[in-house]
Amino acid sequence: MIEKYIEILKNLNLKMGLNVGLSAAIAETIAALTLIVLSICIFFLIKYILKRTVYKIIQLSTNKYDDLLLKNKVIGRMCLLIPALITGMLIDNVLPDFPETAALLMKLVNIFEIFICTMIISSFVSTGEDLYNMHEMSKIKPITGLIQVTKIVLYILCVLIAIAFVLGTKIGNILISLGTMSAIIILVFQDTIKGFVGSIQLSVNDMLRIGDWISIGPADGNVLEINLTTVKVQNWDNTITTIPTYNLVSNPFTNWRGMSESGGRRIARTINIDVNTIRYCTPEMIEKYKRYGLVKDYIEQKEEDILEYNKANRIDTSEIINGRQQTNLGIFRAYIKAYLNNNPKLNHNLTMMVRQMQPTEFGVPLQIYAFSSDKKWINYEEIQSDIFDHVISAATMFDLKIYQKH
């Protein structure tokens, strides 16, 4: 059929008064263009049929895995091989009088096939990544950086194979030639190489996962993506910050994952008590403090212990400094501890204490150390604020003052 088609075109050209050589050239050029157009038409026809059948079936299917084939254009890219294969099979037949031109076009078709095959493999690699990302392990061990490196290597190999094919040499010879340019290649791709090394270190050492809250420089928020060269972070104010991957290996950063995975978020804040308001408790003060429900039992138990101790050691308690005595700060500490123990918004399985720190020129620091059950930032701040609202207000009930510089 092709030969008859070319013969008809030649005869038409001859009838138009063209010489034999020009008639053949025009006829075979028209035949070649017809072949290319026909191949492209067949491609679109097959793609149209696939969209009406296979694509519809995949879209209606409840199986989410086959949707990845559409997302990553696996089927569409495979269809691109059809015009290349048809053209490659018939190119010699449509250019019988011009073998050199046919050979050149065949090389172009083969190079096109190499790139299409690379694109198909790349689509399968992307599909594999999407399948992996459907599992929880992907958040612990993201492979985005590794996938990006794989694609880069894949396309570099594709280019090298195409060059070797055009030059008619082995790919090994091309690699040897590139060896002399290794310094330039390293210089050009230094950020990519550093990013690749950094992403491997982050993954192997489990330093960073998608969803982790990190703080580094201007970035303070959740990790959205871990790529070959950058890590994308959504900050607390919903702005996006990108950080070079290697910076997370070479520079220190804070990862709040440990807090998130624990049973609570730590509260460690101090208030400064005015030293001038700390004193031994008089009987009147003791009776007053006993009216506060949270420390009533503590005061009574402490009184019994102190009385027994002073009697056992025959201590003259006519002077308040002799023996053991209760102080308003000590009772206040016991009150705060009881208040924390009765707070349902704190995690009582984790460390909880109220302690004195080293006195300073600003008074005696009293630190509250506890863990909020709710780790969400806004709720955490509300719980912490409620605690200190109460503690600061309660200090005056124990005849204490919070230090405030005048």
Side-chain angles (χ1 to χ4, degrees):
M1 289 179 63
I2 294 172
E3 291 174 357
K4 287 181 179 180
Y5 179 63
I6 294 172
E7 192 63 34
I8 291 170
L9 292 174
K10 285 180 179 180
N11 291 332
L12 288 172
N13 291 330
L14 289 172
K15 288 178 180 180
M16 293 172 64
L18 302 175
N19 60 47
V20 176
L22 187 57
S23 296
I26 293 173
E28 291 183 19
T29 301
I30 293 172
L33 292 173
T34 303
L35 175 62
I36 293 171
V37 171
L38 182 63
S39 299
I40 294 171
C41 290
I42 293 172
F43 162 72
F44 282 109
L45 177 62
I46 292 174
K47 196 167 183 182
Y48 175 79
I49 294 170
L50 289 174
K51 281 186 176 181
R52 292 291 180 179
T53 55
V54 178
Y55 281 34
K56 287 287 184 183
I57 293 170
I58 290 174
Q59 288 171 353
L60 295 173
S61 171
T62 55
N63 188 340
K64 57 186 177 181
Y65 298 112
D66 53 11
D67 293 335
L68 299 177
L69 297 176
L70 296 183
K71 176 191 172 187
N72 295 301
K73 303 177 181 178
V74 175
I75 300 173
R77 289 180 176 179
M78 290 177 72
C79 289
L80 285 171
L81 283 174
I82 295 170
L85 292 172
I86 294 173
T87 305
M89 287 189 296
L90 300 177
I91 194 69
D92 289 332
N93 295 329
V94 298
L95 295 170
D97 298 323
F98 301 95
E100 293 182 357
T101 304
L104 177 61
L105 290 175
M106 192 63 195
K107 278 193 174 183
L108 293 175
V109 169
N110 289 334
I111 292 171
F112 179 74
E113 289 174 347
I114 291 169
F115 277 98
I116 293 303
C117 288
T118 304
M119 290 169 64
I120 292 171
I121 296 171
S122 176
S123 294
F124 276 113
V125 171
S126 297
T127 302
E129 181 189 10
D130 289 338
L131 285 171
Y132 179 78
N133 288 338
M134 288 181 177
H135 300 282
E136 287 297 318
M137 180 60 70
S138 64
K139 295 180 180 178
I140 301 173
K141 300 285 184 182
I143 60 171
T144 303
L146 183 61
I147 293 296
Q148 289 177 332
V149 170
T150 302
K151 288 182 179 180
I152 290 172
V153 172
L154 192 62
Y155 280 104
I156 289 174
L157 285 174
C158 171
V159 172
L160 293 177
I161 291 170
I163 293 171
F165 182 77
V166 170
L167 298 177
T169 184
K170 294 181 180 179
I171 192 170
N173 296 332
I174 302 295
L175 291 173
I176 291 170
S177 300
L178 288 175
T180 59
M181 299 175 64
S182 58
I184 298 174
I185 292 171
I186 290 173
L187 181 64
V188 172
F189 293 101
Q190 61 176 328
D191 290 337
T192 303
I193 295 169
K194 284 183 178 181
F196 175 57
V197 173
S199 63
I200 290 176
Q201 288 181 292
L202 290 175
S203 178
V204 170
N205 297 319
D206 198 19
M207 296 166 64
L208 192 66
R209 302 176 188 172
I210 293 174
D212 284 356
W213 185 292
I214 65 169
S215 300
I216 176 172
D220 187 11
N222 286 315
V223 175
L224 297 179
E225 293 179 9
I226 303 174
N227 295 320
L228 177 61
T229 55
T230 59
V231 172
K232 187 181 290 186
V233 177
Q234 183 177 36
N235 299 311
W236 58 272
D237 57 357
N238 287 330
T239 56
I240 303 294
T241 301
T242 54
I243 310 164
T245 305
Y246 190 71
N247 279 11
L248 294 168
V249 178
S250 58
N251 296 316
F253 71 95
T254 302
N255 190 330
W256 297 94
R257 187 201 310 158
M259 178 273 294
S260 300
E261 292 179 348
S262 69
R265 186 166 182 171
R266 190 183 70 169
I267 297 172
R269 187 184 288 183
T270 61
I271 56 172
N272 292 314
I273 304 296
D274 190 334
V275 175
N276 297 317
T277 62
I278 300 172
R279 58 177 64 90
Y280 288 118
C281 291
T282 63
E284 293 78 16
M285 293 168 69
I286 291 291
E287 290 302 316
K288 173 185 173 183
Y289 300 156
K290 280 183 181 180
R291 297 200 297 269
Y292 309 150
L294 289 176
V295 286
K296 182 176 183 294
D297 293 339
Y298 167 82
I299 294 172
E300 290 177 349
Q301 182 62 47
K302 200 72 173 177
E303 276 191 309
E304 291 179 8
D305 293 343
I306 290 172
L307 185 61
E308 289 178 7
Y309 176 85
N310 289 338
K311 280 185 178 181
N313 291 277
R314 298 179 181 179
I315 294 172
D316 179 13
T317 57
S318 59
E319 292 292 338
I320 198 168
I321 196 172
N322 294 335
R324 292 173 57 190
Q325 304 291 340
Q326 295 196 71
T327 65
N328 59 346
L329 182 59
I331 295 176
F332 184 51
R333 284 193 297 108
Y335 174 82
I336 297 173
K337 184 64 184 295
Y339 173 74
L340 297 177
N341 285 333
N342 283 275
N343 192 325
K345 295 181 179 179
L346 299 179
N347 190 326
H348 301 285
N349 295 319
L350 298 176
T351 304
M352 185 182 295
M353 63 178 173
V354 182
R355 61 173 180 165
Q356 283 188 37
M357 309 292 284
Q358 177 70 31
T360 68
E361 68 272 23
F362 302 109
V364 178
L366 201 62
Q367 186 188 61
I368 293 176
Y369 191 98
F371 288 84
S372 162
S373 297
D374 196 329
K375 292 170 281 187
K376 292 181 180 178
W377 187 23
I378 294 175
N379 298 341
Y380 160 79
E381 292 293 350
E382 286 287 340
I383 293 168
Q384 183 172 232
S385 298
D386 287 343
I387 290 171
F388 280 90
D389 286 349
H390 181 87
V391 169
I392 293 170
S393 300
T396 56
M397 306 299 290
F398 293 87
D399 303 299
L400 294 166
K401 288 184 179 179
I402 306 299
Y403 179 84
Q404 182 173 313
K405 189 175 181 179
H406 297 288

